[in-house]
């Protein structure tokens, strides 16, 4: 890279891989942030449990009160969604209420009926609390707690949910929980660990409000659940770590290391003078194909480099002879002591050498532009026959299967055939047959002439640049090479075929 150029920053492959692995490794931990949703589920489970207990205790309260005052027991309601209660608490900053207000001193004394049923309700509440850890309070119509597990003889009528229940409305709320000790820092991540659920349900006997049941409980929180599943979580963490390590190894083994080997081989290509070979272990099939592509590319580049060296040597050799002749003729012409015949001979030498140089340069230019002039398309032999006959008036040109579509543009096909016909005419051909046919997915064009043919010793040389048997008559040896370069640019091949008389060239186009 040149010193004046700056390379745009790009991340290393290993950095990308490590980033991906880090993200994969963090996904399970990121999932812990979803426990806020699970917090809400735990709170609603607690609310649902309290609703069930409140329904049972409400029925017990109403039954005992009816017996105490001597009225018929409450009529049973039909099972219907109209009377069912469902959990509805959602814990967020807007819905969580402040801590529950402290109880006040009762201003009224519960009636005789309440005092009669209080012992039984208290026994039931204490027995239930031992199993559920919930708080149970039974209130009369004024909000005084006459039975339960705590705050007996005190007034809760000023509490929002109790007041609503004494107005005949069922209420469940979540309130901020007050602790007598400092909670662990980890608990601050769980909102469910910082609230207490309260449920207040009104009680009716003979369609008359007689009081309410008031239940409360701290919901289970996610950290208690995680602690209970700590062994399974440890197994899951080990599995995630092993999986991440395995993914990293797979990336390194099948992607990172093969690419690094390709980079090292590519950087050293051409420095040792040996052909480029892909590493033996190349990971995935795509990287192996990439290595094969590199090998094909380097082979092509090396082939072009060798061809350039050979071409340069041939050009130097071919131009050296006419330039030497021009230089000698110029030096003799500067000498005034020459006859008229000698002067004309020297001028003929200058003219012949200059034309030779012009022909060489023209053919060299045509050869260098062969791959650029090779244009794929669709044409046929009939479309180029008129211009060929006009260019070669002394040559009998026969076309076979002239309407067969050929995968080459008409101008390119005309250039290729022109060089081949010139070669045939220069070797005393009178008739040339150009035949087209198809073989599978390939199209074949065969050019056969009745000229002097090609000797066995020259068959392997005629495709080389500047090889010609007509150097004395002006041949440059570039015609067949131009056709070969054009054919290869089209993805085809040019070969010499055995022929009884004359020469036969075959062009195969895919």
């Amino acid at each position: 890279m040149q010193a004046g150029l700056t390379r745009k920053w790009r991340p290393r492959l290993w950095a990308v891989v490590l980033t991906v692995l880090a993200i994969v490794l963090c996904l399970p931990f990121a999932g812990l942030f979803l426990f806020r949703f699970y917090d809400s589920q735990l709170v609603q489970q607690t609310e649902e449990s309290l609703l069930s207990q409140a329904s049972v205790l409400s029925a017990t309260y109403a039954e005992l009160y009816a017996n105490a005052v001597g009225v018929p027991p409450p009529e049973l309601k039909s099972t219907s969604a109209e009377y069912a209660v469902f959990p509805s608490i959602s814990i967020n900053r807007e819905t969580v209420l402040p801590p529950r207000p402290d109880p006040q001193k009762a201003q009224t004394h519960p009636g005789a009926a309440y005092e009669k049923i209080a012992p039984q309700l208290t026994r039931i509440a204490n027995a239930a609390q031992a199993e559920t850890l919930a708080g149970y309070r039974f209130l009369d119509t004024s909000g005084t707690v006459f039975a339960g597990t705590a705050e007996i003889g005190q007034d809760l009528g000023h509490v929002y949910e109790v007041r609503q229940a004494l107005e005949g409305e069922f209420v469940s709320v979540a309130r901020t929980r007050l602790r007598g000790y400092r909670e662990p820092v980890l608990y601050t991540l769980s909102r469910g660990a910082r609230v207490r659920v309260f449920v207040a349900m009104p009680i009716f006997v003979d369609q008359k409000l007689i009081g309410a049941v008031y239940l409360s409980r701290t919901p289970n929180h996610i950290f208690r659940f995680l602690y209970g599943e700590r062994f399974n979580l440890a197994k899951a963490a080990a599995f995630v770590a092993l999986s991440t390590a395995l993914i990293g190894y797979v990336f390194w083994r099948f992607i990172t290391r093969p690419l690094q080997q390709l980079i090292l081989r590519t950087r050293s290509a051409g420095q040792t003078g040996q052909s480029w070979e892909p590493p033996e272990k190349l990971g995935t099939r795509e990287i192996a194909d990439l290595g094969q592509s590199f090998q094909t590319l380097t082979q092509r580049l090396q082939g072009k480099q060798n061809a350039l060296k050979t071409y340069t040597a041939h050009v130097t050799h071919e131009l050296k002879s006419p330039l030497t002749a021009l230089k000698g003729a110029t030096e003799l012409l500067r000498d005034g002591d020459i006859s008229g015949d000698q002067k004309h001979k020297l001028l003929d030498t200058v003219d012949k050498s200059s034309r030779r140089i012009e022909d060489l340069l023209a053919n060299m230019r045509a050869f260098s532009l062969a791959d650029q002039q090779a244009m794929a398309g669709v044409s046929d032999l009939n479309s180029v026959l008129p211009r060929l006959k006009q260019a070669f008036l002394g040559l009998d040109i026969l076309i076979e299967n002239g309407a067969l579509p050929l995968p080459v543009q008409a101008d390119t096909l005309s250039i290729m055939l022109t060089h081949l016909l010139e070669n045939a005419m220069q070797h005393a051909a009178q008739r040339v047959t150009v035949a087209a046919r198809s073989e599978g997915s390939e199209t074949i064009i065969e050019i056969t002439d009745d000229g002097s043919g090609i000797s066995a010793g020259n068959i392997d040389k005629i495709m080389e640049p500047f090889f010609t048997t007509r150097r004395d008559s002006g041949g440059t040896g570039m015609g067949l090479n131009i056709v070969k370069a054009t054919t290869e640019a089209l993805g085809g091949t040019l070969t010499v075929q055995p022929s009884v008389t004359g020469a036969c060239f075959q062009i195969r186009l895919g």
Side-chain angles (χ1 to χ4, degrees):
M1 180 178 291
Q2 297 180 0
L5 298 178
T6 57
R7 178 184 294 180
K8 185 177 180 180
W9 182 85
R10 296 260 192 271
R12 294 276 187 178
L13 179 60
W14 60 264
V16 175
V17 173
L18 286 180
T19 302
V20 172
L21 294 179
I23 294 174
V24 172
L25 191 60
C26 290
L27 284 178
F29 299 99
L32 293 178
F33 289 99
L34 297 178
F35 68 57
R36 289 187 179 273
F37 171 77
Y38 189 67
D39 265 348
S40 296
Q41 292 298 107
L42 292 176
V43 170
Q44 290 195 356
Q45 287 179 9
T46 302
E47 180 188 7
E48 186 175 20
S49 174
L50 291 178
L51 289 175
S52 301
Q53 296 175 56
S55 299
V56 174
L57 294 177
S58 296
T60 303
Y61 183 176
E63 189 79 19
L64 293 176
Y65 183 85
N67 291 334
V69 297
V71 299
E75 296 182 0
L76 297 178
K77 297 180 180 179
S78 60
T79 303
S80 171
E82 177 182 358
Y83 304 109
V85 289
F86 300 96
S88 59
I89 292 178
S90 175
I91 52 172
N92 53 58
R93 293 180 179 178
E94 291 75 21
T95 58
V96 176
L97 300 180
R100 200 206 73 179
D102 293 331
Q104 298 177 355
K105 184 177 180 180
Q107 300 296 324
T108 60
H109 188 74
Y114 296 105
E115 291 181 349
K116 184 177 180 180
I117 64 176
Q120 292 175 283
L121 293 177
T122 299
R123 285 197 302 271
I124 293 174
N126 289 329
Q129 187 181 51
E131 301 292 336
T132 64
L133 303 180
Y136 302 96
R137 296 164 181 80
F138 297 89
L139 296 85
D140 62 10
T141 54
S142 64
T144 300
V145 180
F146 69 90
T149 58
E151 301 177 328
I152 297 176
Q154 301 189 63
D155 182 26
L156 295 177
H158 60 287
V159 178
Y160 165 76
E161 55 268 26
V162 173
R163 185 172 64 252
Q164 295 297 112
L166 294 178
E167 293 179 1
E169 182 181 352
F170 155 75
V171 179
S172 59
V173 297
R175 289 184 176 275
T176 301
R177 180 186 179 190
L178 293 178
R179 291 179 178 268
Y181 57 91
R182 185 176 181 181
E183 64 181 9
V185 178
L186 189 63
Y187 280 23
T188 60
L189 299 177
S190 173
R191 192 168 291 168
R194 293 177 287 158
V195 300
R196 188 172 179 86
V197 178
F198 293 84
V199 171
M201 183 174 290
I203 311 298
F204 293 92
V205 172
D206 196 18
Q207 297 184 350
K208 177 182 177 183
L209 180 72
I210 63 167
V213 291
Y214 187 39
L215 287 71
S216 64
R217 188 183 189 284
T218 300
N220 193 8
H221 56 80
I222 193 170
F223 296 106
R224 186 176 291 121
F225 166 78
L226 294 177
Y227 179 78
E229 298 292 330
R230 60 189 181 279
F231 297 111
N232 291 331
L233 290 175
K235 294 177 183 178
F239 174 77
V240 170
L242 290 176
S243 301
T244 305
L246 179 60
I247 293 173
Y249 173 76
V250 170
F251 265 96
W252 174 81
R253 172 63 178 79
F254 293 99
I255 298 179
T256 305
R257 190 179 72 164
L259 288 178
Q260 289 175 345
Q261 292 177 346
L262 283 177
I263 292 172
L264 292 176
R265 289 287 181 93
T266 305
R267 286 177 178 174
S268 62
Q271 296 179 0
T272 60
Q274 299 178 353
S275 59
W276 191 91
E277 294 291 339
E280 295 180 359
K281 298 180 180 180
L282 278 176
T284 65
R285 181 177 297 275
E286 290 78 9
I287 296 180
D289 292 341
L290 179 62
Q292 293 297 328
S293 298
F294 282 164
Q295 185 179 27
T296 302
L297 177 60
T298 53
Q299 288 175 349
R300 288 181 180 177
L301 292 175
Q302 289 174 354
K304 287 183 177 292
Q305 185 179 15
N306 295 334
L308 180 60
K309 292 179 180 179
T310 304
Y311 183 74
T312 304
H314 282 303
V315 169
T316 304
H317 175 74
E318 291 296 325
L319 290 177
K320 185 176 181 181
S321 296
L323 287 174
T324 301
L326 282 174
K327 184 177 180 181
T330 303
E331 290 177 354
L332 292 174
L333 286 172
R334 286 177 177 174
D335 188 357
D337 190 15
I338 57 174
S339 64
D341 292 337
Q342 291 177 328
K343 185 176 182 179
H344 285 294
K345 289 180 180 180
L346 292 174
L347 290 175
D348 290 339
T349 300
V350 171
D351 183 57
K352 182 179 178 180
S353 299
S354 61
R355 286 201 305 269
R356 173 72 175 169
I357 293 175
E358 288 178 351
D359 292 341
L360 286 171
L361 292 175
N363 282 281
M364 285 160 48
R365 183 176 182 275
F367 175 74
S368 65
L369 297 176
D371 56 345
Q372 300 179 20
Q373 294 175 346
M375 301 294 291
V378 178
S379 63
D380 53 44
L381 295 176
N382 291 336
S383 63
V384 299
L385 180 60
R387 69 179 82 175
L388 293 178
K389 286 189 174 182
Q390 184 177 3
F392 301 95
L393 298 176
L395 200 60
D396 186 10
I397 303 174
L398 301 178
I399 298 294
E400 293 182 3
N401 203 7
L404 179 69
L406 304 175
V408 57
Q409 199 177 64
D411 291 340
T412 304
L413 178 62
S414 178
I415 292 173
M416 297 164 65
L417 294 178
T418 297
H419 286 289
L420 291 172
L421 293 179
E422 284 181 352
N423 185 75
M425 193 163 57
Q426 290 169 358
H427 290 81
Q430 299 294 322
R431 174 178 293 183
V432 178
T433 301
V434 184
R437 70 176 189 275
S438 295
E439 286 187 4
S441 61
E442 291 185 326
T443 303
I444 298 175
I445 307 172
E446 284 190 349
I447 301 91
T448 308
D449 63 56
D450 59 355
S452 57
I454 306 170
S455 64
N458 290 335
I459 288 180
D460 296 333
K461 301 177 181 178
I462 59 174
M463 298 294 181
E464 296 179 2
F466 303 104
F467 177 81
T468 178
T469 58
R470 297 180 49 260
R471 195 173 307 277
D472 295 337
S473 59
T476 61
M478 292 293 293
L480 290 180
N481 213 256
I482 293 173
V483 178
K484 180 174 181 291
T486 305
T487 305
E488 291 177 350
L490 292 170
T493 57
L494 173 67
T495 57
V496 181
Q497 299 297 311
S499 179
V500 178
T501 60
C504 179
F505 292 93
Q506 185 183 89
I507 298 174
R508 282 182 173 266
L509 299 173

